[in-house]
Amino acid sequence: MGETTVKSLENRTTPSSPIVTDGRFARLRARTPRRPTIWFEIALIAISYWTYSLIRNAVPEQKAQALKNADWIWQAEHSLGLAFEHTVNQAVNSVTWLIVSMNYYYATLHFVVTIGVLVWLYRWQPGRYAAFRTVLFATTGVALVGYYLYPLAPPRLMNGQNFVDTVLVHHTWGSMASGNLKHMSNQYAAMPSMHIGWSLWCGVTIFLLAKAPWARILGLLYPTATLVVIVATANHFWMDAVGGMVCLAFGFGVSYLWYGSRPHRLPKLVEPAAPVARSGPAPTKAAGAAGAAEAAGAAEAEQQRVSSGSGK
């Protein structure tokens, strides 16, 4: 089973993953990356996010079950000795400028950074864009299953645990699950955390593709900071973050099966479209050989004519 190569626009050949032709993946083949079309991508992302929001908010809230599940997770974390959410929430809430900053972080960067990474991929990594976009879409899609099967109240909505809803207390704009915006969002869709799923997607993508060390470090720090924020604002348990990581792993698996390669192993650039061949049957080897012989004979006859003419 040989290894094929794909020639990029940077005049180098990049190995692509071998196409599996036997075993249980016999029907799978590697998809060739194509140059993304900007208006198609904008429409696809907009429609997909609208559909995701519609389905997520249409999932039954199941308040009683969501609170019961929250109590179970809280007790499970206590049994592990890792129930630190309340301590972090109370400590950070006592520093006004810090918790207000985290409120705005929670409300904005979730979208801003994700869109920024998509734009960066589209502009500078077009050969890998579709594969990484597939990871993000698959991650988000499987999260909907979690919202439906496991309704979960965030810590700030638990009964008798004294978590602080930091958006309400500090009157900051932000969370779709607090204040006047809470009626637009499912209050009990905390598992898995897509703040972690998306931020980790951004971080992994930057870490794998960026060349500058500082950029790769920032890529790793971003999901770490997001974990602190979702806990400090009492919007998630840390176990919700684990759920987001599992969804991201699923997304990478889907992308690998579809493209036959890990996303960062695909060519960075995409070859331009091949010129359209002229209509008509392709010449055969026999026709080519006959044409060559005819041309050689004509050249020889012309040479003899010139020689005889010069001898007169």
Side-chain angles (χ1 to χ4, degrees):
M1 184 168 60
E3 185 180 71
T4 59
T5 59
V6 178
K7 188 174 182 180
S8 71
L9 296 181
E10 296 176 324
N11 296 323
R12 65 172 184 268
T13 57
T14 305
S16 64
S17 295
I19 300 175
V20 180
T21 57
D22 54 3
R24 59 180 176 175
F25 299 122
R27 295 184 179 181
L28 297 178
R29 63 181 181 86
R31 268 69 177 181
T32 302
R34 299 178 180 179
R35 181 170 296 278
T37 304
I38 186 168
W39 294 115
F40 173 79
E41 293 300 328
I42 291 175
L44 179 63
I45 292 171
I47 293 172
S48 298
Y49 183 73
W50 175 79
T51 304
Y52 162 77
S53 299
L54 188 67
I55 295 175
R56 180 181 185 271
N57 296 334
V59 171
E61 289 194 350
Q62 301 175 330
K63 179 178 179 180
Q65 185 61 45
L67 290 171
K68 182 179 179 181
N69 290 338
D71 289 335
W72 184 90
I73 284 186
W74 189 231
Q75 293 301 320
E77 291 186 354
H78 272 287
S79 66
L80 294 172
L82 295 173
F84 51 77
E85 288 90 344
H86 187 269
T87 301
V88 174
N89 174 241
Q90 295 288 336
V92 178
N93 184 66
S94 65
V95 184
T96 303
W97 68 267
L98 181 57
I99 193 59
V100 168
S101 299
M102 287 189 175
N103 284 340
Y104 288 122
Y105 179 114
Y106 184 88
T108 59
L109 293 191
H110 179 53
F111 302 102
V112 172
V113 177
T114 304
I115 293 173
V117 173
L118 282 169
V119 171
W120 174 65
L121 286 169
Y122 180 91
R123 178 63 181 83
W124 284 281
Q125 308 271 343
R128 298 161 178 163
Y129 170 85
F132 276 102
R133 187 245 289 140
T134 298
V135 174
L136 183 63
F137 278 32
T139 298
T140 306
V142 75
L144 293 173
V145 179
Y147 301 147
Y148 183 83
L149 296 178
Y150 197 78
L152 179 67
R156 59 186 176 76
L157 293 182
M158 293 179 69
N159 296 322
Q161 299 300 332
N162 297 320
F163 280 97
V164 178
D165 188 331
T166 60
V167 171
L168 288 180
V169 169
H170 296 281
H171 307 288
T172 53
W173 175 86
S175 175
M176 290 290 290
S178 296
N180 294 328
L181 296 175
K182 66 182 179 181
H183 302 293
M184 301 172 59
S185 179
N186 184 357
Q187 292 283 282
Y188 303 103
M191 171 68 83
S193 168
M194 280 298 94
H195 271 75
I196 291 299
W198 287 14
S199 66
L200 192 58
W201 174 85
C202 293
V204 169
T205 300
I206 294 171
F207 179 79
L208 291 175
L209 300 183
K211 294 182 179 179
W214 61 267
R216 302 182 73 188
I217 293 173
L218 285 178
L220 295 178
L221 289 177
Y222 175 53
T224 304
T226 301
L227 176 60
V228 175
V229 168
I230 66 172
V231 170
T233 57
N235 280 293
H236 288 283
F237 297 98
W238 64 262
M239 290 184 71
D240 302 342
V242 175
M245 295 175 188
V246 172
C247 290
L248 183 64
F250 173 83
F252 271 102
V254 169
S255 178
Y256 180 83
L257 291 177
W258 184 256
Y259 288 97
S261 176
R262 286 169 290 182
H264 65 288
R265 296 295 186 186
L266 293 170
K268 177 180 178 180
L269 303 177
V270 181
E271 287 187 343
V276 178
R278 294 183 179 179
S279 59
T284 62
K285 292 183 178 180
E294 182 180 353
E300 184 178 356
E302 179 64 19
Q303 184 178 5
Q304 291 177 355
R305 186 184 66 79
V306 172
S307 298
S308 61
S310 62
K312 289 180 181 180

